[in-house]
Short mmCIF file of all heavy atoms in Angstrom, two decimals:
data_model
loop_
_atom_site.label_atom_id
_atom_site.label_comp_id
_atom_site.label_asym_id
_atom_site.label_seq_id
_atom_site.Cartn_x
_atom_site.Cartn_y
_atom_site.Cartn_z
N GLY B 71 122.52 94.14 111.97
CA GLY B 71 122.31 93.03 111.05
C GLY B 71 121.30 92.01 111.52
O GLY B 71 121.03 91.02 110.83
N LYS B 72 120.67 92.24 112.69
CA LYS B 72 119.71 91.29 113.23
C LYS B 72 118.33 91.94 113.34
O LYS B 72 118.23 93.11 113.72
CB LYS B 72 120.16 90.79 114.61
CG LYS B 72 121.47 90.01 114.59
CD LYS B 72 121.83 89.53 115.99
CE LYS B 72 123.13 88.74 115.97
NZ LYS B 72 123.51 88.26 117.34
N PRO B 73 117.26 91.20 113.02
CA PRO B 73 115.92 91.77 113.12
C PRO B 73 115.52 92.00 114.58
O PRO B 73 115.84 91.19 115.45
CB PRO B 73 115.02 90.71 112.46
CG PRO B 73 115.79 89.44 112.56
CD PRO B 73 117.24 89.81 112.50
N LYS B 74 114.84 93.12 114.84
CA LYS B 74 114.37 93.44 116.18
C LYS B 74 112.91 93.86 116.09
O LYS B 74 112.57 94.77 115.33
CB LYS B 74 115.21 94.57 116.77
CG LYS B 74 114.73 95.03 118.15
CD LYS B 74 115.57 96.17 118.67
CE LYS B 74 115.06 96.66 120.03
NZ LYS B 74 115.88 97.77 120.57
N THR B 75 112.06 93.19 116.83
CA THR B 75 110.63 93.53 116.86
C THR B 75 110.41 94.66 117.85
O THR B 75 110.68 94.51 119.05
CB THR B 75 109.77 92.31 117.24
OG1 THR B 75 109.98 91.27 116.28
CG2 THR B 75 108.30 92.68 117.25
N LEU B 76 109.90 95.78 117.35
CA LEU B 76 109.61 96.92 118.21
C LEU B 76 108.24 96.80 118.85
O LEU B 76 108.08 97.05 120.04
CB LEU B 76 109.68 98.21 117.39
CG LEU B 76 111.04 98.52 116.75
CD1 LEU B 76 110.93 99.73 115.84
CD2 LEU B 76 112.10 98.74 117.82
N TYR B 77 107.25 96.42 118.06
CA TYR B 77 105.90 96.22 118.59
C TYR B 77 105.11 95.37 117.61
O TYR B 77 105.14 95.59 116.40
CB TYR B 77 105.19 97.55 118.79
CG TYR B 77 103.78 97.40 119.34
CD1 TYR B 77 103.55 96.82 120.59
CD2 TYR B 77 102.68 97.84 118.61
CE1 TYR B 77 102.27 96.69 121.09
CE2 TYR B 77 101.39 97.71 119.11
CZ TYR B 77 101.18 97.12 120.35
OH TYR B 77 99.91 96.97 120.83
N MET B 78 104.41 94.37 118.15
CA MET B 78 103.59 93.48 117.33
C MET B 78 102.34 93.12 118.13
O MET B 78 102.44 92.51 119.18
CB MET B 78 104.37 92.20 116.96
CG MET B 78 103.67 91.31 115.97
SD MET B 78 103.57 92.03 114.32
CE MET B 78 105.30 92.07 113.87
N GLN B 79 101.15 93.50 117.61
CA GLN B 79 99.93 93.29 118.39
C GLN B 79 99.05 92.17 117.86
O GLN B 79 98.06 91.83 118.49
CB GLN B 79 99.13 94.58 118.45
CG GLN B 79 98.82 95.23 117.12
CD GLN B 79 98.11 96.56 117.31
OE1 GLN B 79 97.14 96.66 118.05
NE2 GLN B 79 98.59 97.59 116.63
N THR B 80 99.39 91.60 116.70
CA THR B 80 98.55 90.55 116.14
C THR B 80 98.86 89.18 116.73
O THR B 80 98.06 88.26 116.62
CB THR B 80 98.72 90.49 114.61
OG1 THR B 80 100.11 90.36 114.29
CG2 THR B 80 98.17 91.75 113.97
N VAL B 81 100.02 89.04 117.35
CA VAL B 81 100.39 87.78 118.01
C VAL B 81 100.41 88.04 119.52
O VAL B 81 101.21 88.85 120.00
CB VAL B 81 101.79 87.29 117.55
CG1 VAL B 81 102.14 85.98 118.24
CG2 VAL B 81 101.82 87.14 116.03
N PRO B 82 99.49 87.41 120.29
CA PRO B 82 99.35 87.72 121.72
C PRO B 82 100.67 87.67 122.50
O PRO B 82 100.93 88.56 123.32
CB PRO B 82 98.36 86.66 122.22
CG PRO B 82 97.55 86.32 121.00
CD PRO B 82 98.50 86.42 119.84
N SER B 83 101.49 86.65 122.28
CA SER B 83 102.74 86.53 123.04
C SER B 83 103.70 87.68 122.72
O SER B 83 104.34 88.23 123.62
CB SER B 83 103.41 85.18 122.73
OG SER B 83 103.69 85.06 121.34
N LEU B 84 103.77 88.05 121.41
CA LEU B 84 104.64 89.17 121.03
C LEU B 84 104.09 90.50 121.53
O LEU B 84 104.84 91.41 121.88
CB LEU B 84 104.81 89.21 119.50
CG LEU B 84 105.75 88.18 118.89
CD1 LEU B 84 105.74 88.28 117.38
CD2 LEU B 84 107.17 88.38 119.43
N LYS B 85 102.77 90.61 121.58
CA LYS B 85 102.16 91.84 122.07
C LYS B 85 102.53 92.07 123.53
O LYS B 85 102.89 93.19 123.93
CB LYS B 85 100.64 91.78 121.91
CG LYS B 85 99.94 93.05 122.37
CD LYS B 85 98.42 92.97 122.14
CE LYS B 85 97.74 94.26 122.60
NZ LYS B 85 96.28 94.22 122.35
N MET B 86 102.47 91.00 124.33
CA MET B 86 102.82 91.12 125.75
C MET B 86 104.29 91.45 125.91
O MET B 86 104.67 92.26 126.77
CB MET B 86 102.50 89.81 126.47
CG MET B 86 101.01 89.53 126.61
SD MET B 86 100.18 90.76 127.67
CE MET B 86 101.00 90.46 129.23
N ALA B 87 105.13 90.87 125.05
CA ALA B 87 106.58 91.07 125.18
C ALA B 87 107.01 92.46 124.73
O ALA B 87 107.99 93.01 125.26
CB ALA B 87 107.32 90.00 124.38
N THR B 88 106.32 93.02 123.74
CA THR B 88 106.74 94.30 123.16
C THR B 88 105.93 95.50 123.62
O THR B 88 106.27 96.63 123.30
CB THR B 88 106.68 94.22 121.62
OG1 THR B 88 105.33 93.91 121.21
CG2 THR B 88 107.62 93.17 121.09
N LYS B 89 104.86 95.28 124.36
CA LYS B 89 104.01 96.39 124.81
C LYS B 89 104.78 97.43 125.62
O LYS B 89 104.52 98.64 125.47
CB LYS B 89 102.83 95.84 125.61
CG LYS B 89 101.77 96.89 125.91
CD LYS B 89 100.54 96.27 126.59
CE LYS B 89 99.48 97.33 126.85
NZ LYS B 89 98.28 96.73 127.49
N PRO B 90 105.74 97.05 126.47
CA PRO B 90 106.50 98.07 127.21
C PRO B 90 107.24 99.04 126.29
O PRO B 90 107.53 100.17 126.70
CB PRO B 90 107.47 97.24 128.05
CG PRO B 90 106.77 95.92 128.23
CD PRO B 90 106.05 95.69 126.94
N ASN B 91 107.57 98.63 125.06
CA ASN B 91 108.29 99.51 124.14
C ASN B 91 107.47 100.74 123.76
O ASN B 91 108.03 101.76 123.36
CB ASN B 91 108.67 98.76 122.87
CG ASN B 91 109.78 97.75 123.10
OD1 ASN B 91 110.48 97.81 124.12
ND2 ASN B 91 109.94 96.82 122.18
N LEU B 92 106.15 100.64 123.86
CA LEU B 92 105.30 101.77 123.45
C LEU B 92 105.56 103.01 124.29
O LEU B 92 105.38 104.14 123.81
CB LEU B 92 103.82 101.37 123.55
CG LEU B 92 103.34 100.27 122.59
CD1 LEU B 92 101.89 99.90 122.90
CD2 LEU B 92 103.48 100.72 121.15
N LYS B 93 106.00 102.84 125.54
CA LYS B 93 106.24 103.98 126.43
C LYS B 93 107.66 104.52 126.31
O LYS B 93 107.99 105.54 126.91
CB LYS B 93 105.96 103.57 127.88
CG LYS B 93 104.52 103.14 128.13
CD LYS B 93 104.30 102.77 129.59
CE LYS B 93 102.85 102.36 129.84
NZ LYS B 93 102.63 101.99 131.26
N LYS B 94 108.49 103.83 125.51
CA LYS B 94 109.88 104.26 125.36
C LYS B 94 110.02 105.23 124.19
O LYS B 94 109.27 105.17 123.22
CB LYS B 94 110.78 103.05 125.14
CG LYS B 94 110.82 102.07 126.31
CD LYS B 94 111.76 100.91 126.01
CE LYS B 94 111.81 99.93 127.18
NZ LYS B 94 112.70 98.78 126.89
N THR B 95 111.02 106.12 124.29
CA THR B 95 111.30 107.02 123.18
C THR B 95 112.11 106.27 122.12
O THR B 95 112.67 105.20 122.38
CB THR B 95 112.08 108.25 123.65
OG1 THR B 95 113.39 107.83 124.08
CG2 THR B 95 111.35 108.94 124.79
N LEU B 96 112.19 106.88 120.94
CA LEU B 96 112.96 106.25 119.85
C LEU B 96 114.43 106.13 120.22
O LEU B 96 115.08 105.13 119.87
CB LEU B 96 112.79 107.06 118.57
CG LEU B 96 111.35 107.24 118.06
CD1 LEU B 96 111.34 108.01 116.75
CD2 LEU B 96 110.66 105.90 117.88
N GLN B 97 114.95 107.11 120.93
CA GLN B 97 116.34 107.03 121.36
C GLN B 97 116.54 105.95 122.40
O GLN B 97 117.56 105.24 122.40
CB GLN B 97 116.80 108.39 121.90
CG GLN B 97 116.96 109.44 120.80
CD GLN B 97 117.48 110.76 121.33
OE1 GLN B 97 117.42 111.03 122.53
NE2 GLN B 97 117.98 111.61 120.43
N GLU B 98 115.57 105.80 123.30
CA GLU B 98 115.67 104.73 124.30
C GLU B 98 115.63 103.36 123.66
O GLU B 98 116.19 102.39 124.19
CB GLU B 98 114.54 104.87 125.32
CG GLU B 98 114.70 106.06 126.26
CD GLU B 98 113.49 106.27 127.15
OE1 GLU B 98 112.40 105.76 126.79
OE2 GLU B 98 113.63 106.93 128.19
N LEU B 99 114.98 103.28 122.50
CA LEU B 99 114.93 102.01 121.76
C LEU B 99 116.16 101.83 120.87
O LEU B 99 116.24 100.88 120.09
CB LEU B 99 113.66 101.96 120.89
CG LEU B 99 112.34 101.85 121.65
CD1 LEU B 99 111.17 102.08 120.72
CD2 LEU B 99 112.24 100.49 122.33
N GLU B 100 117.13 102.77 120.99
CA GLU B 100 118.40 102.74 120.26
C GLU B 100 118.21 102.85 118.75
O GLU B 100 118.96 102.27 117.97
CB GLU B 100 119.18 101.45 120.60
CG GLU B 100 119.50 101.32 122.08
CD GLU B 100 120.29 100.06 122.38
OE1 GLU B 100 120.34 99.17 121.50
OE2 GLU B 100 120.85 99.95 123.48
N LEU B 101 117.17 103.61 118.37
CA LEU B 101 116.96 103.88 116.95
C LEU B 101 117.70 105.16 116.57
O LEU B 101 117.82 106.09 117.38
CB LEU B 101 115.47 104.03 116.65
CG LEU B 101 114.57 102.83 116.99
CD1 LEU B 101 113.13 103.12 116.64
CD2 LEU B 101 115.05 101.58 116.27
N VAL B 102 118.19 105.22 115.33
CA VAL B 102 118.95 106.37 114.87
C VAL B 102 118.32 106.92 113.60
O VAL B 102 117.58 106.23 112.90
CB VAL B 102 120.43 105.99 114.61
CG1 VAL B 102 121.09 105.54 115.91
CG2 VAL B 102 120.53 104.91 113.55
N SER B 103 118.64 108.17 113.30
CA SER B 103 118.14 108.78 112.08
C SER B 103 118.70 108.04 110.87
O SER B 103 119.89 107.70 110.83
CB SER B 103 118.55 110.25 112.04
OG SER B 103 117.96 110.91 110.94
N GLY B 104 117.83 107.77 109.90
CA GLY B 104 118.24 107.02 108.72
C GLY B 104 117.96 105.53 108.82
O GLY B 104 118.17 104.79 107.86
N GLN B 105 117.46 105.09 109.98
CA GLN B 105 117.16 103.68 110.18
C GLN B 105 115.85 103.30 109.51
O GLN B 105 114.89 104.07 109.52
CB GLN B 105 117.09 103.36 111.67
CG GLN B 105 117.03 101.88 111.99
CD GLN B 105 117.52 101.61 113.41
OE1 GLN B 105 117.82 102.52 114.16
NE2 GLN B 105 117.64 100.35 113.75
N GLN B 106 115.81 102.12 108.93
CA GLN B 106 114.59 101.65 108.28
C GLN B 106 113.66 101.01 109.30
O GLN B 106 114.10 100.22 110.15
CB GLN B 106 114.91 100.65 107.17
CG GLN B 106 115.54 101.26 105.93
CD GLN B 106 115.61 100.30 104.77
OE1 GLN B 106 115.40 99.10 104.91
NE2 GLN B 106 115.90 100.83 103.58
N ILE B 107 112.36 101.35 109.19
CA ILE B 107 111.32 100.75 110.02
C ILE B 107 110.44 99.92 109.10
O ILE B 107 109.87 100.43 108.13
CB ILE B 107 110.47 101.82 110.73
CG1 ILE B 107 111.36 102.77 111.55
CG2 ILE B 107 109.42 101.16 111.62
CD1 ILE B 107 112.07 102.09 112.70
N LEU B 108 110.33 98.64 109.37
CA LEU B 108 109.53 97.72 108.55
C LEU B 108 108.17 97.55 109.22
O LEU B 108 108.10 97.16 110.40
CB LEU B 108 110.24 96.38 108.40
CG LEU B 108 111.69 96.45 107.90
CD1 LEU B 108 112.32 95.06 107.87
CD2 LEU B 108 111.76 97.10 106.53
N VAL B 109 107.11 97.82 108.49
CA VAL B 109 105.76 97.82 109.05
C VAL B 109 104.89 96.80 108.34
O VAL B 109 104.81 96.79 107.10
CB VAL B 109 105.11 99.22 108.96
CG1 VAL B 109 103.71 99.19 109.55
CG2 VAL B 109 105.97 100.26 109.67
N ALA B 110 104.24 95.95 109.11
CA ALA B 110 103.27 94.98 108.57
C ALA B 110 101.89 95.34 109.07
O ALA B 110 101.72 95.77 110.22
CB ALA B 110 103.64 93.56 109.01
N ASP B 111 100.88 95.18 108.21
CA ASP B 111 99.51 95.53 108.58
C ASP B 111 98.54 94.70 107.75
O ASP B 111 98.89 94.22 106.66
CB ASP B 111 99.26 97.02 108.37
CG ASP B 111 97.96 97.49 108.97
OD1 ASP B 111 97.81 97.39 110.21
OD2 ASP B 111 97.07 97.92 108.22
N VAL B 112 97.31 94.56 108.24
CA VAL B 112 96.30 93.77 107.53
C VAL B 112 95.88 94.40 106.21
O VAL B 112 95.25 93.75 105.37
CB VAL B 112 95.05 93.54 108.40
CG1 VAL B 112 95.39 92.70 109.62
CG2 VAL B 112 94.44 94.88 108.83
N THR B 113 96.19 95.68 106.01
CA THR B 113 95.79 96.35 104.79
C THR B 113 96.69 96.02 103.60
O THR B 113 96.40 96.44 102.48
CB THR B 113 95.80 97.88 104.99
OG1 THR B 113 97.11 98.29 105.41
CG2 THR B 113 94.79 98.29 106.04
N THR B 114 97.76 95.28 103.82
CA THR B 114 98.66 94.93 102.73
C THR B 114 99.31 93.57 102.98
O THR B 114 99.63 93.24 104.13
CB THR B 114 99.76 96.00 102.56
OG1 THR B 114 100.75 95.54 101.61
CG2 THR B 114 100.45 96.30 103.87
N PRO B 115 99.53 92.77 101.93
CA PRO B 115 100.22 91.49 102.10
C PRO B 115 101.73 91.66 102.16
O PRO B 115 102.45 90.70 102.47
CB PRO B 115 99.82 90.71 100.84
CG PRO B 115 99.61 91.77 99.81
CD PRO B 115 99.06 92.96 100.54
N ASN B 116 102.23 92.86 101.85
CA ASN B 116 103.67 93.11 101.79
C ASN B 116 104.12 93.97 102.96
O ASN B 116 103.36 94.79 103.48
CB ASN B 116 104.03 93.81 100.47
CG ASN B 116 103.52 93.05 99.26
OD1 ASN B 116 103.74 91.85 99.15
ND2 ASN B 116 102.84 93.74 98.35
#
């Protein structure tokens, strides 16, 4: 029920904090099948 940032590179402080996650597997990040991944990008406002 709580938001968790997996990786964010547009904000320098968040990029430094979440960069180690890139080397982790999805299971190590405690993600499960059926879980929603929310993605933000400059190509869309939504």
